[in-house]
Every structure is written in C-alpha cells, then in structure tokens.
Amino acid sequence: MSSSFLLYQPNPEAAQIPDFFSQPYLFGQASHLLQQTDLPLHYFGLIDRASGLSVARCGLFEKEGLLFSPGAASFGTIEFADALSDRDLHDFLEFVLQTARQIPVRRIRLTNPPACYGPAFLKRLETMLEDNGFRVLAQTPTHHLPVSDAPFVSRLHSFERHKLRKSRRDGFRSEIWQTPDVGQLFAFIRAARLRKNYRMTITAVQLGHLLSRFPGETTVFAVWRDDRLAAASIGIRVSDEVLYHFQGADHADFLSYSPTVQLVESLYEYCQQQRIPVLDLGTSVSDGVTLFKKRLGAVEGKKRTFLKEL
C-alpha cells in the first residue's frame, strides 16, 4: 500500500474529503454526504499518493453506538476502484473496523445498492463483507428497467398498455417540470404517501435543498391533466449509469387512468435521450407494487443491508 495511504476524518469539511477517482455514486460524494444528516460523520478513504484521489471510500454516520450508511439516501456503502487489489481492499475494511472500535461504537450497518448498479462490484463487496463477519440484516425487493432503443410501450403488459392509451386519449400530458413549486410538489407527495400508508422519508426543507443543491443531478417529471397535477417524481442521476425514480406520487382523483405509467414512460424516454442504461424504480414494499412494476416490464432484484457487531 506504499502508493496509497489510509485517511480518517471525523466530522470533515467538504475540502477534507478527497474526490473519488472515477464515476462516483452521488450518495457518496462530499456534497451529498454533508447534507444527509446533522449526526456525526466519519469519513474513511484510501488515497492514491500520486493523484490525491480516493480509490476506496466510505462515509458513516454515528448514533447510539451504531455507525451506519446512508444517513438519508437509498443506499450508502464502501466504494472502491475496480483495479484495487483484494489485499488493499481488505486492509481498508480492517482500518474502518479498527477505527470504529476506537471511536467507540458497537455495530456497523451498511446498505448496499441493488445489483443493477454493478453486479461485479457488488458481488466482490458482499463477499468481502461476509468474509469479515458481516451478516445480512435485511433483503429488500427492488425493481429496475433496463433501458434500450426499444420503445417503452413494447415492455408493457396489455393492461398497462391500455391505461397508457387511455390517459393519452383523455388529454394527460407528461413533461419535465422545469421550475417546480417545492411546496406544491411536497404536498402532492405527502398526500399520496399518506393515502397509501407510506411514511414520509423527506421533509419539505430537505426536498428544497435536494433540488437547489443538485440541479445537475435532479429532474422533476410530471404528468398533468389540464392544470392539475396527476403524477410526479424526482429523477436522481445517481451515476452515469443509473437514474433513480424517487418519491413517485399520484393523485387519488386519477387512479382509474394510472398516470404513473405515463410518468415512468417519461423517465424511460429521458434515459434513452441521455444514454442512461438503468432506470431504478426503487424498493417494492407490497405485492401490489411488485405486480405493477412487473407489468411495466421491470426486472426484480434485491437490496441488501449488512450488519457487524464489534
């Protein structure tokens, strides 16, 4: 490891977190880590001496004897360069574990992305975690759409294809909401989640910060009928390879039209235009949600959370 060195920064400033060497996930970048939560943040990095860039990194938050990631994101875990040796990767993890014991904390919890974010990377990471005493705490079903040149409608089950035709025929239109009203968008999301008995995972202030601080990575998609909002979602560019369908919501008055189908079509077509190969539809919290996503042509996966007692 003479060509690199280990770095630990408790409660770092943005300037103390080195850039990642290549194509980082948004949720691991300094700008996103530092706005996820007001809890203590512990940054770990393996830094290449020549470039000053990190070739492995992890940001962990602390609460009540637990180090965990993410603070407020769909996942947060150890990232590393593909070319990093198994020895260096093992030494980096051991450094994280040793430092955690000295903080001290009793447990570490990591939530990994679904396999669609990089199956080779994820297999290597999860093998390393299990070899070092981490156990699978939870497996959450997820779904994603592989994006190709084929039209969105070609993926659909006949039932959802009928819904899409119906909404178009009756004047629903999908578009990017260029200057969204954050208050209106938040109230719309909140009403939809309350109706479905889903807990809120973001506040109005956090939503505003997300859209204002990451304008290049966030796009608000909307479906309208005349001047009424029928469905909406925030598309988050998590990496060059993935767009994440975040906080999808619909209006109770338009459920017979299923405007979410038209909403997802607009995200899919955006991915086609931007050459993004994966549309992450997020976790699937019920059999009904799973069935709906399958009718959209989505592929099922798992998002694993790992825990280690120290």
Side-chain angles (χ1 to χ4, degrees):
M1 201 180 288
S2 59
S3 62
S4 57
F5 64 93
L6 293 161
L7 175 68
Y8 167 58
Q9 291 281 8
N11 292 315
E13 301 290 335
Q16 296 175 299
I17 300 179
D19 290 336
F20 199 52
F21 84 106
S22 175
Q23 295 187 356
Y25 294 134
L26 172 64
F27 302 143
Q29 293 185 34
S31 56
H32 202 280
L33 283 173
L34 294 173
Q35 62 88 47
Q36 284 190 32
T37 176
D38 58 1
L39 295 172
L41 170 63
H42 301 268
Y43 174 82
F44 303 86
L46 177 60
I47 314 303
D48 178 71
R49 293 184 187 276
S51 66
L53 301 176
S54 59
V55 291
R57 68 177 184 178
C58 186
L60 298 172
F61 300 91
E62 180 188 353
K63 185 177 182 180
E64 299 175 351
L66 173 70
L67 282 186
F68 62 96
S69 191
S74 64
F75 65 87
T77 192
I78 295 171
E79 294 180 63
F80 54 88
D82 291 341
L84 193 67
S85 70
D86 288 341
R87 180 73 257 174
D88 283 354
L89 186 55
H90 177 273
D91 288 349
F92 176 69
L93 178 58
E94 185 59 32
F95 172 67
V96 173
L97 296 176
Q98 288 178 358
T99 306
R101 293 184 182 102
Q102 294 167 6
I103 288 173
V105 294
R106 300 186 301 275
R107 297 170 295 159
I108 295 181
R109 188 184 72 211
L110 296 171
T111 298
N112 288 348
C116 61
Y117 280 71
F121 152 77
L122 205 58
K123 181 178 180 180
R124 188 178 174 198
L125 172 61
E126 295 191 348
T127 297
M128 179 191 69
L129 292 176
E130 289 173 337
D131 287 348
N132 283 273
F134 284 78
R135 63 180 176 85
V136 177
L137 180 65
Q139 291 194 110
T140 307
T142 66
H143 285 83
H144 74 278
L145 285 173
V147 179
S148 68
D149 292 333
F152 175 73
V153 69
S154 69
R155 309 188 61 89
L156 295 180
H157 183 278
S158 59
F159 182 79
E160 305 304 340
R161 195 178 299 128
H162 168 73
K163 293 288 188 180
L164 183 59
R165 285 198 301 265
K166 180 182 177 183
S167 64
R168 286 173 174 167
R169 183 189 65 225
D170 286 4
F172 288 77
R173 71 185 191 280
S174 55
E175 60 186 37
I176 290 175
W177 196 353
Q178 298 288 358
T179 54
D181 181 313
V182 174
Q184 180 185 1
L185 178 60
F186 178 79
F188 185 83
I189 292 169
R190 185 174 183 274
R193 296 185 74 86
L194 287 175
R195 189 183 79 240
K196 299 172 184 178
N197 293 316
Y198 297 166
R199 69 181 182 91
M200 286 299 295
T201 58
I202 193 169
T203 66
V205 171
Q206 289 170 334
L207 178 60
H209 287 169
L210 177 67
L211 298 180
S212 63
R213 294 176 181 177
F214 302 97
E217 292 84 12
T218 56
T219 304
V220 178
F221 296 83
V223 175
W224 302 86
R225 190 180 192 190
D226 298 325
D227 61 349
R228 297 186 66 193
L229 188 58
S233 169
I234 300 105
I236 300 179
R237 188 76 178 262
V238 181
S239 72
D240 288 348
E241 306 293 317
V242 181
L243 184 72
Y244 173 42
H245 172 42
F246 178 58
Q247 296 290 338
D250 53 14
H251 197 292
D253 289 352
F254 302 116
L255 296 185
S256 63
Y257 289 92
S258 192
T260 298
V261 180
Q262 193 167 348
L263 180 71
V264 174
E265 179 187 46
S266 66
L267 276 94
Y268 182 88
E269 291 177 345
Y270 178 85
C271 288
Q272 288 180 314
Q273 295 161 8
Q274 299 296 319
R275 295 299 180 189
I276 304 171
V278 174
L279 174 56
D280 178 8
L281 298 180
T283 55
S284 302
V285 296
S286 68
D287 290 343
V289 173
T290 295
L291 177 60
F292 174 69
K293 290 179 181 179
K294 286 183 176 180
R295 285 176 170 173
L296 296 179
V299 178
E300 186 171 351
K302 298 288 184 185
K303 183 168 71 173
R304 285 179 158 189
T305 298
F306 286 80
L307 181 73
K308 180 176 173 64
E309 305 283 348
L310 299 177

